[in-house]
Amino acid sequence: MSQRTAARLGFAAFVLAALIALGAVARVRLALLPYAQGWRLMIPATGLGAAALALSLVWTARALKANDGAGRRAGLAALFGSLLLLYPPLATTANRLVSPPIHDFTTDTENPPRFVALLKQRGADANSPTYEGNAPVSFRGETRPLSTVLHDHYRDILKPHAGFAVGSRDPIATFFWRDFEAAKKAGWHIVDFNPKDARIEATHASFWFGRVSDIVIQVRRAGAGARTDLRAQSREDSIDDGANAALAKRYFRLLAR
């Protein structure tokens, strides 16, 4: 295979992969295709992207060896384009391999925050809003209840997020408005906030496919202070690839600033 041929074939594979991927994303975003089918379309797109990367690397090796820039535009476009195209699906796959196959995350497995306002936005195909802490989860060769998996795998996020509001007569109210501002900084769409019940409900949509996570933040009394708990649940997906736990982790980092 000549240097120019490798560049051209790599570029052609990249263009076809990009068209499939963009078509899948657009159709899912426009609600013309379920997420599961859109994800399956990413399999051939990823395969073509990998082929484009391999061919562009062949072009790179031959160009460097011969000190010849023949096919430079096509070769460079295939090289950098395929790297950009492959990152999202490969990152998602990597997260799936190291994350428990769950779709419901909460920092309080005994009394998880409840969805109220968000129930009106969830269709018939949505996951049950009921937290199923005893549901079996198979991960790394073991099958254990969901709550046990959360405590074992996300121990750093499930630590008590409690504290004292120094000088405040109402620590719950102080924590509530602090949490409300953090939710805005997180970029979530706040659907409802209820100072009386100390509850905030919001949604987050993933960048590419717009996968919706429903989020509820609940402030409760903790001794002389207050405690913040968060629950994030994928609206429709059965596996979140660690996304909901990542939302919680980022949120509590914002609170700690």
Side-chain angles (χ1 to χ4, degrees):
M1 183 185 299
S2 70
Q3 181 176 318
R4 288 183 182 274
T5 300
R8 290 170 179 170
L9 288 176
F11 181 71
F14 160 66
V15 170
L16 185 56
L19 289 174
I20 295 174
L22 290 174
V25 170
R27 293 179 70 184
V28 171
R29 280 283 192 172
L30 294 172
L32 299 175
L33 199 68
Y35 168 76
Q37 294 183 25
W39 173 253
R40 283 196 288 270
L41 282 175
M42 291 302 297
I43 296 175
T46 302
L48 286 166
L53 178 60
L55 288 164
S56 65
L57 290 175
V58 170
W59 168 81
T60 301
R62 295 190 177 182
L64 291 174
K65 183 177 181 181
N67 195 25
D68 182 3
R72 179 176 56 191
R73 290 184 179 179
L76 289 175
L79 177 62
F80 292 107
S82 60
L83 288 173
L84 288 173
L85 186 144
L86 287 172
Y87 177 76
L90 292 181
T92 299
T93 301
N95 287 333
R96 179 164 294 191
L97 292 174
V98 299
S99 304
I102 64 175
H103 66 271
D104 196 353
F105 175 89
T106 179
T107 58
D108 188 343
T109 57
E110 295 183 1
N111 186 22
R114 296 183 300 106
F115 299 110
V116 179
L118 282 169
L119 293 178
K120 301 175 183 178
Q121 297 188 7
R122 298 163 68 96
D125 296 330
N127 290 314
S128 170
T130 302
Y131 175 72
E132 300 175 349
N134 292 321
V137 176
S138 297
F139 183 58
R140 294 179 176 172
E142 296 182 328
T143 299
R144 295 174 295 169
L146 170 60
S147 293
T148 302
V149 172
L150 290 180
H151 279 284
D152 289 349
H153 193 75
Y154 297 113
R155 189 176 296 110
D156 59 326
I157 313 177
L158 266 65
K159 64 183 180 181
H161 297 281
F164 298 97
V166 179
S168 173
R169 295 182 179 180
D170 189 351
I172 292 181
T174 301
F175 271 53
F176 174 83
W177 291 113
R178 178 204 65 168
D179 294 353
F180 179 77
E181 292 300 320
K184 291 198 297 184
K185 290 179 182 178
W188 299 340
H189 172 63
I190 297 177
V191 175
D192 184 60
F193 60 99
N194 189 320
K196 180 179 179 181
D197 295 335
R199 186 184 64 252
I200 303 164
E201 294 182 77
T203 61
H204 171 270
S206 67
F207 181 78
W208 289 109
F209 283 101
R211 300 165 69 185
V212 176
S213 290
D214 290 325
I215 304 163
V216 55
I217 301 164
Q218 182 70 62
V219 182
R220 300 184 176 108
R221 177 75 65 176
R227 167 184 172 129
T228 295
D229 281 301
L230 181 147
R231 182 181 176 193
Q233 185 193 67
S234 299
R235 184 170 292 184
E236 295 180 354
D237 302 325
S238 60
I239 299 176
D240 66 9
D241 305 318
N244 289 314
L247 289 174
K249 192 169 186 177
R250 179 171 176 265
Y251 179 75
F252 286 115
R253 282 178 179 171
L254 289 173
L255 284 182
R257 290 179 181 176

